[in-house]
Every structure is written in structure tokens, then in C-alpha cells.
């Protein structure tokens, strides 16, 4: 089956780009507020955007962990969080890099105390956050919390931090919090470009490195202004646990690829893998694309009781390695023929990751030629199939795969010299 390329001008030289980026990333900590990647001078494709970074040293690779919202919404408590931390370790997921245990909405009392402090909800977090953080830290994990750049959070059950940024950041730091997801409800119509930098600064002044995850829903194109104030920024509205939502979000997030990189990532929202609304193949596609596009890998299911299929997807260390690759370049959709798509991105050591994704209803053969994906046309590669765990030796010209409906194949191509 012939697939016509829809993207000319994508013949980026991965080799030159990856060498350059490696050199620059290795000096990441030495200079603050400076461009992290330079124009490679080849074309408008990967990594040509200049930007300044939030200088908290965090998020050099996309964050990995768990968040309570997708599965539990407001039904959270300290027992659940502790059991989740335990399951993260006992399942082996922690050892694969999933480190953040993140509370979402509804952890606090409706009102601040007499001194204006946020207070953990006594009925669900009776031991307080300091103890919870200690519990999580003892297991080698990190604790994340949630607030909102408005006067209340989205549940309307607890206060937001608008006007209390310094105080709340100091409170979070005093509890030992490592991560803040910062939502966008009840914002009084004030521009996010005014509201989010205030919390960013407060976190930097809090005395503790706290990962800053902006949840602005992509309303005012945060990719264009958030890299200097946050470690990740949502590019879309909330994901739902179904194929249409997941694919739509993947497409919306794609256009911001150039703005992502070590220290700051586009966030197409948390994973739904294991929540039951998609098939195993759909979840495999979800996880593969999120990994390729350097999205945060924040698990959204109940890991205390996940089934084997869910665990197998979330624990694929070869797919995780693509997400966590040191080059930190977001992969992109580079070819589309109806429902048949090719997504690709460069990795360290001149390797290239490729996803052949069948978004249609019937099985199909999908092909990506070396020119499609920016490899030298004479290249001979070893192609590692990341889901079959087999290596095809000495592949020339193109990689092709017979792909089931809503499924994908994912490869890492390593040129042989
Ligand atoms: C804690 O939350 C979980 C998940 O919603 C729930 O199953 C459990 O009953 C709750 N435990 C307590 C003590 O409230
Ligand atoms: C799931 O995995 C466990 C541990 O590997 C195994 O004992 C169990 O039989 C598996 N269950 C199914 C339904 O395959
Ligand atoms: C898929 O397409 C490629 C390229 O046209 C071809 O070489 C390969 O034989 C096809 N595979 C199948 C299973 O049809």
C-alpha cells in the first residue's frame, strides 16, 4: 500500500541535531535562564525553537509517576495514597522510574484556617501531609500536591492559591512536597500569563525544589510562554478514558512539539491505561504515543489492583526508555494517509524511534521510508520492535508493519556503521 508523504521539509539531519543537543544539555546546570537548544540550521523540524528555562533543575526527562484523579476523582485519603506508594514499589514500577505519587483535587478542607493556611481534610488525611510525605519518601518516592490558580479548585471543595501563592508554596515546602499540579478554575478572568508566574516564583522562593506542572488546559498556548516558568504545561483539556478523546488529544498536542525539551514538557494529560474504557491495543497505542512525544508518564489507574495486561503496558522498559531518552526531543506525526500514520522522533546515539499507528477499523500495512523519517537513504539499521521484543537485523530503505485496528508497532532504529 502506498502512503503519500504529507510533510515535505522534514528531512532533518538527526545526527547533527543529536550531537549538538547532547553537548548543550550536558551544560544544563551551569547557566540559568538561557536557550537550551539551538536552531540546527537544517529545517523547521525537530528542536529548532529557542527558549529559556525555569531554573529549578527538575524535569530533565518527562516526569513519571501516578496521579489520583483519573481513577479516584475526589475519593482519596491517606490510606489510598500509602497503599499506592507501596504498590508502586512492590509491583516493580518504582524501579522502572515511576517516582511521583501525586494527589489531585479534594485533599484539603473547604476553608483556610485562622492564619490563612490550607489545611489537609481531617476526615481523609487525619495524619497530615508531613507524615504522608515522610511515608512516601521512605519508599524512595516523591509526593505531589494540587492547587489552582484561582480562588477555588475545580471541585469547589477547597481553596485555590490565587493571592496566597507565597504562603501556600512555603506550606507545601514545609510539608516536604516535591511537585505541584496547578489547575485553572475560578480564575476571575485574569490572564494565566499573570497568574502562573506568581506561583512559579513562589515555588522557587520556597526553599525546596518543587516540580511545577501547569494545568492551564492549553487555553492561551502555554507552550509559547510556560517553558520559562514551569516544568510541564497542559496543552489540551482533560483526557477521557476513550479512544476518541485520547486520539484527539494526541493530535492537539502534536503542534507544540518544538517547544518541548529537557526542563519543560508539553503535557497532553495523564494516562488512562488500566481504567477500562479502551481495549488493550488502544492502551498500547496511548502509551506508545505518549512515550514517543515525551509526555509525562503519570499513571491514572488503581495500581493496587491493576491486571497483568495493564502492568505489561506500563512496565515496558524499552518504551519507557524512549520517553526518558536524554536527547529530550518530542516525536511528531510526520506522515498520514487516511487512518494510517507514522510518528517519529530522534534519540541519542543517532537512533530513531518510530511508531506505525493504525487509527482505522481494518488491519493495514504501514510503511515508513528512511526519507520519511529523516534517516540517510543509504542507512542500514537494526530495528528493535519494542512490543515484540525482537530485533530485525540489517534493515534497508524502510520499515513496514502489518498493524491491527487501533494498534501500533513501535521500533527503535539503530544505524549500523
Ligand atoms: C480510601 O479511598 C479508597 C479509594 O476511594 C476507598 O476505597 C477506601 O474505602 C477509603 N478508605 C477510607 C478509610 O476512607
Ligand atoms: C498474572 O501474572 C501473575 C504473576 O506473573 C500470574 O501468577 C497470574 O497467573 C497472571 N494472571 C493471568 C490471568 O494471566
Ligand atoms: C508492506 O508494505 C511494504 C512496502 O510496500 C512491503 O515491502 C511489504 O511486503 C508489505 N507487507 C505486507 C505484510 O503486506
Amino acid at each position: 500500500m502506498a502512503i503519500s508523504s504529507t510533510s515535505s521539509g522534514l528531512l532533518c539531519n538527526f545526527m547533527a541535531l543529536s550531537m549538538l543537543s547532547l553537548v548543550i544539555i550536558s551544560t544544563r546546570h551551569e547557566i540559568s535562564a538561557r536557550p537550551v537548544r539551538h536552531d540546527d540550521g537544517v529545517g523547521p523540524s525537530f528542536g529548532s525553537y529557542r527558549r529559556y528555562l525555569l531554573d529549578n533543575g527538575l524535569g530533565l526527562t518527562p516526569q513519571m509517576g501516578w496521579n489520583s484523579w483519573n481513577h479516584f476523582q475526589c475519593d482519596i485519603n491517606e490510606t489510598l495514597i500509602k497503599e499506592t506508594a507501596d504498590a508502586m514499589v512492590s509491583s516493580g514500577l518504582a524501579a522502572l522510574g515511576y517516582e511521583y505519587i501525586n494527589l489531585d483535587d479534594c485533599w484539603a478542607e473547604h476553608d483556610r484556617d485562622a492564619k490563612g493556611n490550607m489545611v489537609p481534610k481531617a476526615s481523609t488525611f487525619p495524619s497530615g501531609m508531613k507524615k504522608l510525605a515522610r511515608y512516601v519518601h521512605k519508599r524512595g518516592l516523591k509526593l505531589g500536591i494540587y492547587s489552582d490558580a484561582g480562588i477555588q479548585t475545580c471541585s469547589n471543595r477547597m481553596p485555590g492559591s490565587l493571592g496566597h501563592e507565597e504562603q501556600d508554596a512555603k506550606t507545601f515546602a514545609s510539608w516536604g512536597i516535591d511537585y505541584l499540579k496547578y489547575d485553572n478554575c475560578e480564575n476571575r478572568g485574569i490572564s494565566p500569563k499573570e497568574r502562573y508566574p506568581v506561583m512559579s516564583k513562589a515555588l522557587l522562593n520556597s526553599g525546596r525544589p518543587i516540580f511545577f506542572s501547569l494545568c492551564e488546559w492549553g487555553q492561551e498556548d502555554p507552550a509559547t510562554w510556560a517553558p520559562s516558568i514551569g516544568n510541564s504545561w497542559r496543552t489540551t483539556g482533560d483526557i477521557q478514558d476513550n479512544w476518541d478523546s485520547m486520539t484527539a488529544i494526541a493530535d492537539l498536542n502534536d503542534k507544540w512539539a518544538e517547544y518541548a525539551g529537557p526542563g519543560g514538557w508539553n503535557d497532553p494529560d495523564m494516562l488512562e491505561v488500566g481504567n477500562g474504557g479502551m481495549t488493550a491495543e488502544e492502551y498500547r497505542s496511548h502509551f506508545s504515543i505518549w512515550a514517543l512525544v515525551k509526555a509525562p508518564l503519570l499513571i491514572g489507574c488503581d495500581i493496587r489492583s491493576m491486571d497483568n495486561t495493564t502492568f505489561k503496558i506500563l512496565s515496558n522498559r524499552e518504551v519507557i526508555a524512549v520517553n526518558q531518552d536524554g536527547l529530550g526531543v518530542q516525536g511528531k506525526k510526520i506522515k498520514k494517509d487516511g487512518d494510517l500514520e507514522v510518528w517519529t522522533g530522534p534519540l541519542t546515539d543517532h537512533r530513531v524511534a518510530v511508531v506505525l499507528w493504525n487509527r482505522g477499523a481494518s488491519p493495514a500495512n504501514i510503511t515508513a521510508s528512511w526519507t520519511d523519517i529523516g534517516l540517510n537513504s543509504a542507512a542500514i539499521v537494526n530495528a528493535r520492535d519494542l512490543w515484540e521484543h525482537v530485533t530485525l537485523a540489517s534493515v534497508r530503505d524502510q520499515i513496514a508493519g502489518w498493524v491491527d485496528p487501533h494498534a501500533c508497532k513501535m521500533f527503535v532504529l539503530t544505524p549500523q556503521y
Side-chain angles (χ1 to χ4, degrees):
M1 181 175 304
I3 302 178
S4 64
S5 174
T6 57
S7 48
S8 54
L10 281 174
L11 309 180
C12 165
N13 184 334
F14 288 152
M15 321 270 160
L17 173 59
S18 54
M19 305 270 285
L20 179 62
S21 302
L22 277 173
V23 170
I24 294 166
I25 288 162
S26 68
T27 63
R28 162 80 177 75
H29 286 294
E30 289 162 19
I31 314 160
S32 66
R34 60 186 179 72
V36 73
R37 274 205 311 265
H38 296 278
D39 195 315
D40 60 11
V42 176
S45 58
F46 293 98
S48 58
Y49 174 68
R50 290 166 185 272
R51 67 204 190 121
Y52 294 85
L53 285 175
L54 174 63
D55 194 29
N56 64 3
L58 300 174
L60 297 183
T61 59
Q63 65 268 41
M64 294 176 65
W66 174 90
N67 172 291
S68 55
W69 186 259
N70 283 358
H71 193 85
F72 295 99
Q73 288 88 49
C74 277
D75 296 328
I76 59 172
N77 55 62
E78 61 186 39
T79 310
L80 167 69
I81 302 306
K82 287 177 174 178
E83 289 177 359
T84 299
D86 291 344
M88 197 65 107
V89 175
S90 64
S91 65
L93 289 175
L96 291 167
Y98 295 95
E99 63 173 344
Y100 288 104
I101 304 291
N102 293 348
L103 307 177
D104 208 281
D105 205 345
C106 305
W107 60 266
E109 293 288 1
H110 183 273
D111 296 312
R112 293 174 181 272
D113 69 11
K115 291 181 180 154
N117 292 312
M118 275 195 193
V119 186
K121 199 168 173 180
S123 61
T124 48
F125 291 90
S127 311
M129 291 303 165
K130 209 170 196 169
K131 273 203 172 147
L132 189 58
R134 205 173 302 141
Y135 187 96
V136 167
H137 291 158
K138 262 196 191 145
R139 281 145 188 83
L141 300 170
K142 293 179 169 156
L143 185 65
I145 211 159
Y146 165 98
S147 186
D148 186 288
I151 57 167
Q152 274 192 319
T153 63
C154 297
S155 68
N156 292 123
R157 296 193 197 177
M158 58 172 277
S161 293
L162 188 66
H164 295 265
E165 291 88 353
E166 286 286 333
Q167 182 171 13
D168 291 350
K170 290 232 158 63
T171 301
F172 300 153
S174 76
W175 289 341
I177 297 294
D178 304 294
Y179 184 112
L180 175 66
K181 173 179 171 181
Y182 203 45
D183 218 333
N184 194 26
C185 285
E186 306 300 334
N187 60 46
R188 295 281 151 120
I190 304 166
S191 165
K193 294 179 199 171
E194 287 179 41
R195 289 176 288 119
Y196 283 82
V198 184
M199 181 53 91
S200 174
K201 210 167 161 197
L203 292 173
L204 283 178
N205 290 338
S206 72
R208 188 175 172 85
I210 298 179
F211 190 107
F212 189 32
S213 155
L214 285 77
C215 181
E216 183 264 7
W217 319 323
Q219 289 195 334
E220 291 196 24
D221 301 346
T224 63
W225 49 267
S228 60
I229 63 164
N231 300 112
S232 67
W233 46 89
R234 284 275 298 281
T235 54
T236 72
D238 283 8
I239 193 170
Q240 282 158 11
D241 187 17
N242 62 66
W243 169 257
D244 286 346
S245 169
M246 183 273 286
T247 52
I249 277 178
D251 289 343
L252 286 171
N253 186 65
D254 188 38
K255 83 185 251 206
W256 303 110
E258 273 77 15
Y259 296 87
W265 308 99
N266 289 312
D267 177 3
D269 208 2
M270 303 170 294
L271 298 168
E272 292 283 11
V273 179
N275 280 332
M278 290 184 245
T279 66
E281 288 306 334
E282 290 171 347
Y283 280 142
R284 212 188 309 282
S285 296
H286 177 22
F287 193 69
S288 300
I289 291 292
W290 261 236
L292 182 85
V293 306
K294 306 294 190 279
L297 296 182
L298 294 173
I299 298 170
C301 71
D302 185 354
I303 60 172
R304 301 171 307 167
S305 59
M306 64 189 153
D307 60 23
N308 289 3
T309 305
T310 300
F311 177 74
K312 257 206 152 133
I313 294 171
L314 297 173
S315 66
N316 186 325
R317 68 174 70 237
E318 295 189 80
V319 175
I320 292 170
V322 169
N323 180 256
Q324 297 289 302
D325 182 74
L327 191 56
V329 175
Q330 177 171 331
K332 304 203 295 196
K333 178 168 11 188
I334 51 97
K335 197 171 146 184
K336 171 176 165 64
D337 177 21
D339 292 322
L340 309 183
E341 300 186 349
V342 177
W343 293 58
T344 186
L347 302 173
T348 47
D349 299 328
H350 310 164
R351 296 168 307 140
V352 178
V354 182
V355 174
L356 309 177
W357 195 10
N358 181 356
R359 289 167 61 160
S362 25
N365 188 6
I366 305 179
T367 307
S369 72
W370 288 179
T371 40
D372 287 336
I373 60 178
L375 272 176
N376 183 317
S377 59
I380 301 170
V381 310
N382 284 348
R384 178 70 175 175
D385 183 324
L386 306 191
W387 288 109
E388 297 296 330
H389 305 294
V390 295
T391 304
L392 312 171
S394 303
V395 180
R396 292 162 196 265
D397 303 329
Q398 63 188 22
I399 185 89
W402 186 253
V403 188
D404 283 335
H406 292 195
C408 74
K409 286 193 163 285
M410 187 167 188
F411 297 95
V412 167
L413 310 181
T414 305
Q416 306 300 296
Y417 296 102

